[in-house]
Amino acid sequence: MNVFKVPVSVSYLTGRVLLIGAISVSPMFLSQKKDSLKEKAIDEVIVVGYGTQKKSKVSGAVTEASLDKLTSRSLSGVGEVLQGKAPGVTVVNEGGDPNGSPKVNIRGLGGINGETPLYVVDGVVFNGTPSINPNDIQDISVLKDASAAIYGARSSGGVILITTKKGKKGVLTVDFDVKYGINEAWRLKESLNAAEFQDVMYQAYANAGKLGSLPIAFNPEKYPDGRITRTDWMKEIFRTGTIQEYNLNLSGGGEKSRFYVGMNHRALEGILLNTQAKRYNFRVNSEHKVKDWLTIGENMYYNYSDGNTADTKSGYTGALIAAMYYPPNVPVYTQTGAFSGLPIDVAGGYGDMINPVAYLKRINIRNPTHEILINPYAEITLAKDLKFRSNFSQTFKIGNVKNFTSRVLEVGKIFDTNNLEYQSNNTSTALAEQLLTYKFTAGKHNFDFLAGFTFQKTVEDGFLAKSFDFRSEADVFQHLQNAADTNKEVSSYRFKQALVSYLARLNYDYAGKYIISLLGRRDGSSLVAKQNRFANYYAVSGAWVISRESFMNDISWLSNLKLRGSYGILGNLGGISPQAVNPLMTRDNNVIFGQDPSQNIAYYATTRPNPDLKWGKSEQTNFGVDASFLHNSLSLQFDYFVKNSKDQIFNVSLPSTATYNNQYVNAGLFQDKGYELGINYSGKKTGDFTYSVGVTFSQLKNTVKQLADVDEIFINDNGVRGVLKPTRIKIGDPLYSFYGYKTGGIFQSQDEINNYKDANGNLIQPNAKPGDIKFLKKDGNTGVLSNQDFVNLGSPYPKFSYGFSYNMTWKNFDLNIFLQGVYGNKIFNGMKFISLNPGGTGQNYNMDRDILNAWTPQNTNTDIPRLVHGDPGGNYSKVSDFYVEDGSYLRLKNLTIGYSLPRELYQKLDVNKVRIYVTTNNLFTITKYTGFDPEVGMNSYGVDTGRYPQSRSFIFGVEIGL
């Protein structure tokens, strides 16, 4: 039989080299296996820790994020890129502030210290989230299981490996993309109009028997002006914002060199007044083959960002809450153009409140941040299949904050002072990596070795200076020396930390069927005491490629079947404060001591040092299946995992007799377990029509197993106006669960109240009235209601998260649909405490229109308790499931429709490509949550007091290739 060679020269547009060379085939092979030639010849390579690996030989849980139509979207950063795109990766937006960034978790929160993924961009390990342009991203791999242990002490939260675009051999190509669009709110809450507000408050006072103390503001006979609606405050604080984004990319290369240059500018106006964000990004990647044995290159980028942000979390002065409760009879401005305050004659009837438009327009925060990366590298071929790579990077992050707080003189909530604050926060990180790799084959035995040494040093320094009482608030006078008050606040800091590491990995496979990977890393950190500085991390994983066994040859519909398993110990540096082992000294100017006692300056530590402290770790186990069918057109990845996070770092309060206030200790065990599923299908091309479908699904259960010498911890820093504090960490429950009373509806009659008794015959709510909420006793408890009757009301973290994408092309048209959602999480809607509670906060605020559905003897089919001033029944002052709502949602995250000009037309224009498209983000959302937006985030542990909502956007774009 004749055998000849088919030339093959293939490289992904992603820059991931696959297989370059020639394949020996026979004519019979070509005729019988034409459809599978590509599948057999090209084995995709994916990025793993410190290198690449053929996907067929990966034994760990490594997932590639789908990045379809990424360049058609306008995204703020890496977090938005990942949302719904990789199973096991949960991305929760912290509201919709244009300067905010979402929380990214891989396989759960990881314990009380929290876990954030480790980001590695083109081999550079980052502290925090890199500020890269999403348009520069070529592909993303996620290490989710013990395979992440190759990154040691920082790997327990998973590792996100990002590869940016590289130049390709060929003529210079220039790609230009411009986007322009608008942002708008997809849902607004409505307050009562002026007449309704006055009537509701009048009725609330009447129902409470307080008409004798009714403020004039709510007496329609004495204050008819209070019935005139002049302002819809919710509409006044929102606006239609604009989005502009420009990308210019240049790439090219020859036999010896290749390069890529990317430039980006993005300007986004938020949907709240005077909120915005902008960035500029510049990147250069190049690589040069100097000799056959020497390749050098570099990755460099510069990022600049700045913006204005609004406080929407405060239950007192948050912008959305303030707009909800500000009186609608007050105009935005006075006749002179100044901001209006409450009418002075009736202001006491309303209480203390700020003009929300004035608050937003007075925001004067500038936060320019510069991030610079310089990353040269060299790769030397020492012998056949033996390579040495030296990688160095220097990252600088320079942040400056200027915040001028103006006086607020309008009647309502006066702040008769102003101040100017400057902050400087600078971080410098140097990373040096020396890596040696060796590959060899002996018959069907294949070996791949990696050994390396890394060193990373980070220096943080900064200062804060604040001065008070500026007689003029004009921009030209906003400098520290212009303050009239000579008192100033000044402080500065400097922290250093270093991490040294030794690492090794061995990958082995026999004939591509039996695969094993062993890896280990030894890390030493300066953050802990000398005797605990070094710790060892390791992982073992294996796989069996069943589809390559001879007994599978006759199964034509199965292209690939691989079983995987892994186990390892990974590290968690989260929660270690620089003060944990060597606490800083605090200065006190008012200490009396000495032979002749007098006022002196003294320095002392408030944190007790703990020389035995060590960093946390996690024990991770994973079992997985990779399968593909129908000539690889349908692929499936399934994983089941258990992650036990141990030795968590607690900041424990000490008794007053201990001299110190607190100490950091190791304690606790938290477990995350669940399963993940990823499915991709590429449909058969039919004429001019092609399509593909992708699905991701993740399930997670978190359980608190142990704490530090206690059974539960109360979280007090996320309550609602100091009254409602629903969050606990309790053994046996999910992390940050809500605790409060379970309710049994609303009392419909006095008889029902009189018959509501405990096992001893005592009335449980003796002071209740018809229309009050019925709070349930915990099973077995007797006596009056107390905190002992609190039960678990749910967790703010989703049980399931999922994504669905559909791509289609027909002739010159293309379509992308991406839906994303979560299920099973709860949101504590703290806005109800303020917006449905007449006078219950001590202030007479305007209310949500839902109050019109309050219980009355004629309106009993409702869940809103009776209308009464001051909350005498405790309907709102008690933490209960009245506030806890289902936070599940399904959101059309992105819809893109594009059209590429016919070749003959754009060739006449002397260009290589012209594509026009329209894209929309968050076009619709399906949710039962009654607040502004269900994506309230985890910064406040799922407690919503009016978080900045996500916006809906419509964008028009043009791509031109030269």
Side-chain angles (χ1 to χ4, degrees):
M1 180 181 295
N2 294 326
V3 176
F4 61 92
K5 291 185 177 182
V6 178
V8 177
S9 180
V10 180
S11 67
Y12 264 24
L13 294 180
T14 63
R16 295 178 296 187
V17 177
L18 304 185
L19 179 64
I20 301 176
I23 306 166
S24 298
V25 296
S26 69
M28 183 177 296
F29 178 86
L30 284 175
S31 62
Q32 295 180 352
K33 299 290 185 178
K34 188 179 295 183
D35 292 339
S36 61
L37 174 60
K38 183 177 180 180
E39 300 163 16
K40 295 289 186 181
I42 303 176
D43 197 352
E44 182 181 354
V45 173
I46 64 173
V47 179
V48 295
Y50 297 101
T52 60
Q53 195 173 3
K54 288 185 177 181
K55 194 171 183 178
S56 63
K57 296 185 178 182
V58 171
S59 55
V62 183
T63 296
E64 292 180 284
S66 171
L67 303 181
D68 40 34
K69 293 295 180 293
L70 176 63
T71 58
S72 296
R73 303 171 65 189
S74 182
L75 303 173
S76 62
V78 177
E80 286 191 80
V81 174
L82 284 167
Q83 191 171 32
K85 293 295 186 178
V89 181
T90 301
V91 179
V92 180
N93 277 298
E94 300 292 336
D97 191 302
N99 297 282
S101 57
K103 247 187 206 335
V104 180
N105 293 118
I106 299 174
R107 294 185 168 179
L109 294 169
I112 194 171
N113 296 147
E115 283 184 330
T116 56
L118 182 69
Y119 290 88
V120 182
V121 182
D122 295 325
V124 177
V125 179
F126 275 77
N127 289 321
T129 305
S131 302
I132 64 176
N133 172 21
N135 192 72
D136 287 337
I137 297 175
Q138 190 62 65
D139 51 52
I140 300 178
S141 296
V142 184
L143 309 183
K144 300 183 294 185
D145 68 339
S147 60
I150 194 68
Y151 289 97
R154 297 169 292 181
S155 62
S156 65
V159 180
I160 296 174
L161 305 169
I162 300 173
T163 303
T164 60
K165 294 177 181 177
K166 304 294 189 291
K168 297 179 284 291
K169 178 182 176 181
V171 298
L172 173 68
T173 61
V174 179
D175 295 309
F176 178 70
D177 172 74
V178 57
K179 304 179 180 75
Y180 184 86
I182 60 171
N183 282 334
E184 64 180 19
W186 71 276
R187 171 196 280 178
L188 294 181
K189 300 289 289 180
E190 292 186 60
S191 300
L192 300 173
N193 64 37
E196 291 169 336
F197 182 28
Q198 198 175 71
D199 291 342
V200 165
M201 290 303 295
Y202 183 94
Q203 190 62 48
Y205 271 87
N207 292 346
K210 297 180 179 179
L211 280 180
S213 59
L214 178 71
I216 295 174
F218 305 115
N219 190 321
E221 295 181 359
K222 295 182 179 181
Y223 189 55
D225 189 73
R227 302 185 67 79
I228 301 173
T229 301
R230 294 183 174 89
T231 307
D232 184 333
W233 290 101
M234 197 58 64
K235 291 183 179 178
E236 289 292 335
I237 66 169
F238 281 96
R239 66 177 177 182
T240 298
T242 61
I243 308 170
Q244 300 180 62
E245 184 169 357
Y246 307 90
N247 286 281
L248 178 62
N249 303 328
L250 297 85
S251 66
E255 294 293 335
K256 299 290 186 178
S257 298
R258 58 176 181 162
F259 71 91
Y260 169 84
V261 177
M263 290 170 278
N264 168 263
H265 169 59
R266 183 177 189 257
L268 172 66
E269 291 181 341
I271 56 177
L272 283 178
L273 294 176
N274 199 23
T275 61
Q276 63 268 337
K278 63 180 178 180
R279 74 163 181 246
Y280 296 90
N281 194 285
F282 178 77
R283 170 175 291 277
V284 176
N285 296 336
S286 71
E287 190 170 86
H288 315 277
K289 194 170 186 63
V290 181
K291 299 289 185 180
D292 290 341
W293 53 270
L294 174 63
T295 299
I296 62 173
E298 90 289 323
N299 302 295
M300 297 187 298
Y301 83 80
Y302 166 74
N303 181 81
Y304 169 87
S305 61
D306 195 3
N308 235 16
T309 188
D311 177 13
T312 61
K313 293 188 293 182
S314 170
Y316 296 90
T317 58
L320 274 67
I321 281 291
M324 180 72 74
Y325 61 57
Y326 206 76
N329 59 302
V330 179
V332 178
Y333 302 99
T334 66
Q335 291 181 350
T336 64
F339 291 116
S340 291
L342 298 177
I344 191 166
D345 294 337
V346 296
Y350 293 117
D352 61 340
M353 53 186 72
I354 61 172
N355 180 326
V357 173
Y359 161 69
L360 287 170
K361 289 198 170 184
R362 282 184 174 130
I363 294 173
N364 189 358
I365 303 173
R366 291 294 174 265
N367 183 22
T369 302
H370 309 263
E371 187 166 291
I372 302 167
L373 167 72
I374 303 170
N375 170 219
Y377 62 88
E379 187 170 277
I380 301 172
T381 301
L382 302 174
K384 183 181 179 182
D385 296 323
L386 177 63
K387 293 183 179 181
F388 171 75
R389 181 183 175 94
S390 182
N391 186 50
F392 174 80
S393 71
Q394 182 72 57
T395 308
F396 302 95
K397 190 169 185 178
I398 304 166
N400 296 289
V401 179
K402 178 186 177 183
N403 183 3
F404 187 84
T405 303
S406 300
R407 290 187 177 92
V408 178
L409 301 179
E410 298 87 42
V411 175
K413 197 176 184 74
I414 294 176
F415 296 94
D416 190 16
T417 183
N418 56 26
N419 63 76
L420 173 64
E421 181 179 296
Y422 274 98
Q423 289 186 48
S424 174
N425 304 283
N426 304 314
T427 304
S428 171
T429 301
L431 170 68
E433 298 178 328
Q434 317 303 325
L435 304 172
L436 192 67
T437 59
Y438 180 55
K439 300 179 181 180
F440 76 92
T441 299
K444 294 184 178 182
H445 301 276
N446 303 297
F447 298 87
D448 183 348
F449 293 97
L450 166 71
F453 168 79
T454 77
F455 175 79
Q456 189 165 12
K457 181 180 180 180
T458 299
V459 179
E460 299 178 61
D461 63 70
F463 71 86
L464 179 148
K466 192 173 183 178
S467 58
F468 305 85
D469 192 10
F470 289 79
R471 302 299 167 83
S472 172
E473 296 188 346
D475 288 346
V476 68
F477 289 103
Q478 292 180 14
H479 299 282
L480 293 172
Q481 66 271 22
N482 293 326
D485 192 337
T486 57
N487 292 321
K488 292 179 171 61
E489 295 179 7
V490 180
S491 63
S492 62
Y493 69 91
R494 183 177 177 85
F495 297 120
K496 294 181 179 180
Q497 58 177 286
L499 185 74
V500 62
S501 308
Y502 307 88
L503 58 99
R505 178 175 60 207
L506 167 63
N507 294 327
Y508 164 79
D509 74 89
Y510 175 77
K513 291 190 293 186
Y514 313 114
I515 302 165
I516 190 169
S517 178
L518 304 173
L519 63 90
R521 179 161 174 150
R522 181 170 174 82
D523 277 348
S525 171
S526 63
L527 287 175
V528 292
K530 187 174 182 179
Q531 67 271 20
N532 293 331
R533 273 183 186 163
F534 281 89
N536 299 323
Y537 305 98
Y538 62 88
V540 57
S541 61
W544 176 26
V545 186
I546 302 175
S547 54
R548 294 195 175 185
E549 297 288 359
S550 58
F551 58 79
M552 300 291 290
N553 290 342
D554 296 332
I555 304 177
S556 59
W557 52 268
L558 180 65
S559 306
N560 177 60
L561 178 60
K562 178 170 63 176
L563 304 182
R564 296 178 282 104
S566 67
Y567 172 83
I569 302 294
L570 299 83
N572 180 359
L573 282 174
I576 293 187
S577 167
Q579 300 193 55
V581 177
N582 298 302
L584 295 177
M585 307 295 281
T586 299
R587 170 175 167 157
D588 193 325
N589 296 331
N590 302 302
V591 177
I592 308 297
F593 64 89
Q595 185 174 1
D596 296 319
S598 61
Q599 182 173 300
N600 288 279
I601 297 174
Y603 295 87
Y604 57 91
T606 59
T607 298
R608 175 190 284 171
N610 183 357
D612 297 322
L613 193 73
K614 54 187 177 181
W615 55 69
K617 61 185 179 182
S618 69
E619 180 184 37
Q620 301 191 19
T621 305
N622 187 92
F623 298 99
V625 178
D626 295 334
S628 58
F629 311 90
L630 307 176
H631 303 292
N632 289 323
S633 60
L634 174 64
S635 62
L636 176 149
Q637 184 181 60
F638 175 85
D639 284 276
Y640 171 79
F641 66 92
V642 178
K643 178 167 69 173
N644 292 310
S645 300
K646 305 177 179 180
D647 295 330
Q648 297 282 291
I649 299 167
F650 286 76
N651 188 4
V652 178
S653 297
L654 299 177
S656 57
T657 56
T659 307
Y660 299 97
N661 295 338
N662 61 287
Q663 184 181 34
Y664 290 87
V665 300
N666 291 108
L669 171 63
F670 301 82
Q671 184 181 86
D672 294 286
K673 66 179 180 179
Y675 58 86
E676 305 154 354
L677 177 65
I679 301 174
N680 291 283
Y681 177 72
S682 297
K684 185 178 180 181
K685 183 176 181 180
T686 305
D688 295 321
F689 178 77
T690 63
Y691 72 98
S692 63
V693 178
V695 177
T696 65
F697 181 85
S698 307
Q699 183 271 340
L700 177 73
K701 181 181 180 182
N702 171 269
T703 307
V704 178
K705 295 290 188 179
Q706 296 175 12
L707 292 174
D709 298 326
V710 293
D711 292 328
E712 60 183 342
I713 297 173
F714 296 85
I715 305 295
N716 293 319
D717 59 358
N718 70 321
V720 182
R721 293 178 70 97
V723 177
L724 305 177
K725 299 178 180 180
T727 309
R728 294 188 190 182
I729 303 173
K730 187 173 182 179
I731 293 177
D733 289 337
L735 198 60
Y736 307 122
S737 294
F738 298 132
Y739 263 79
Y741 294 108
K742 197 79 175 171
T743 61
I746 291 178
F747 288 117
Q748 301 296 327
S749 66
Q750 188 63 44
D751 286 343
E752 189 177 341
I753 296 170
N754 295 338
N755 291 323
Y756 185 41
K757 301 177 181 179
D758 64 13
N760 297 328
N762 298 312
L763 289 177
I764 295 174
Q765 290 179 249
N767 298 320
K769 301 295 182 185
D772 284 337
I773 294 176
K774 181 180 181 179
F775 299 101
L776 302 181
K777 293 287 293 180
K778 193 174 182 180
D779 290 345
N781 286 2
T782 59
V784 298
L785 289 168
S786 71
N787 291 356
Q788 300 302 313
D789 296 308
F790 280 10
V791 296
N792 189 322
L793 301 176
S795 167
Y797 205 73
K799 296 178 181 178
F800 304 100
S801 58
Y802 54 90
F804 171 85
S805 60
Y806 174 81
N807 288 284
M808 178 271 287
T809 62
W810 178 69
K811 295 187 176 180
N812 293 341
F813 291 92
D814 60 85
L815 170 70
N816 170 254
I817 300 173
F818 172 46
L819 294 106
Q820 175 268 332
V822 299
Y823 173 80
N825 64 306
K826 301 297 182 181
I827 299 174
F828 192 89
N829 189 349
M831 290 187 295
K832 290 181 176 180
F833 178 75
I834 303 164
S835 63
L836 293 176
N837 186 5
T841 63
Q843 313 293 331
N844 290 326
Y845 295 145
N846 194 7
M847 285 162 281
D848 191 305
R849 291 187 64 82
D850 289 347
I851 196 65
L852 298 176
N853 192 34
W855 184 94
T856 68
Q858 296 75 36
N859 181 43
T860 59
N861 186 23
T862 179
D863 61 351
I864 298 177
R866 65 189 176 110
L867 183 64
V868 58
H869 187 270
D871 192 28
N875 296 310
Y876 294 94
S877 61
K878 293 183 176 66
V879 179
S880 72
D881 59 10
F882 172 73
Y883 293 105
V884 178
E885 299 186 27
D886 186 356
S888 306
Y889 69 86
L890 169 63
R891 178 164 270 167
L892 180 54
K893 204 68 182 177
N894 180 255
L895 171 65
T896 300
I897 301 173
Y899 176 75
S900 299
L901 269 62
R903 180 183 298 271
E904 58 273 14
L905 181 57
Y906 65 68
Q907 284 183 341
K908 290 180 181 179
L909 301 174
D910 196 24
V911 297
N912 296 329
K913 177 183 69 173
V914 177
R915 176 176 174 263
I916 58 176
Y917 59 90
V918 291
T919 185
T920 176
N921 296 320
N922 303 331
L923 182 61
F924 68 78
T925 303
I926 301 173
T927 183
K928 294 180 180 179
Y929 183 58
T930 62
F932 286 94
D933 190 83
E935 290 194 73
V936 300
M938 288 295 294
N939 280 350
S940 297
Y941 309 112
V943 175
D944 183 16
T945 50
R947 201 69 189 267
Y948 200 127
Q950 293 281 306
S951 62
R952 176 192 290 140
S953 63
F954 300 91
I955 299 171
F956 173 79
V958 179
E959 295 178 0
I960 300 175
L962 303 178

